[in-house]
Amino acid sequence: MPSNDVRNLLHTAVPTAAVGVVAVAVSGAVAGGKGAIGAVVGVALAILYMGIGLYVLQWTAKTLPQLFQAMGLMLYVAQLLLLMIFLAVFKGTSLFNARAFAFSLVAATIVWMAAQARAHMKAKIFYVEPDSEKNEKSEKTGSSS
């Protein structure tokens, strides 16, 4: 993974993990142990889905740039479908507090998206790849005298 991609991942995952710690503490205080487990599952799911999504989009941008927009749309639909499958499988579970899970999942997702937008705005990304080789003769522009 190139350093720019790792930097973007760190700038998004670290704030999300920090919010996750707060969510686990609040859920543990409000709903007990099952609330803390629900918050951990919610934050872990958000980081996992969004991290995989970021990786897939970075890979698509580098290898198949013509499919970038379509892949982004397909990826978000796939993430929603995977989340619906997860919710259907764990519907009515007593393993964790569902309300703590939901609030921590939403909070982690919002923080991830905001941090990703901020990281992208702060990134110094070239629009045009600079030439690695310099031409031996310099060319002048304009008319010759």
Side-chain angles (χ1 to χ4, degrees):
M1 208 176 206
S3 64
N4 192 34
D5 298 344
V6 173
R7 192 173 320 123
N8 281 341
L9 182 63
L10 286 176
H11 285 249
T12 53
V14 170
T16 306
V19 166
V21 169
V22 172
V24 169
V26 169
S27 297
V30 172
K34 291 193 182 224
I37 293 171
V40 167
V41 171
V43 170
L45 203 61
I47 290 174
L48 180 70
Y49 283 2
M50 300 302 261
I52 290 171
L54 181 63
Y55 176 76
V56 168
L57 283 179
Q58 294 292 344
W59 178 82
T60 302
K62 285 177 181 46
T63 58
L64 303 166
Q66 69 275 13
L67 296 178
F68 182 72
Q69 186 176 11
M71 183 62 82
L73 292 171
M74 196 261 332
L75 182 66
Y76 290 124
V77 170
Q79 286 174 334
L80 285 174
L81 288 174
L82 287 173
L83 181 60
M84 285 185 198
I85 291 169
F86 182 87
L87 292 175
V89 168
F90 288 99
K91 182 181 179 181
T93 187
S94 62
L95 296 173
F96 53 82
N97 186 310
R99 189 167 284 188
F101 165 77
F103 282 125
S104 63
L105 178 72
V106 169
T109 302
I110 289 171
V111 168
W112 180 284
M113 291 170 59
Q116 187 175 7
R118 184 178 187 278
H120 183 70
M121 288 180 356
K122 295 282 186 180
K124 307 265 191 276
I125 300 172
F126 288 120
Y127 290 99
V128 177
E129 295 280 335
D131 288 337
S132 60
E133 304 175 3
K134 291 188 176 184
N135 292 336
E136 301 238 347
K137 60 180 184 175
S138 74
E139 296 180 20
K140 293 184 179 179
T141 57
S143 63
S144 59
S145 325

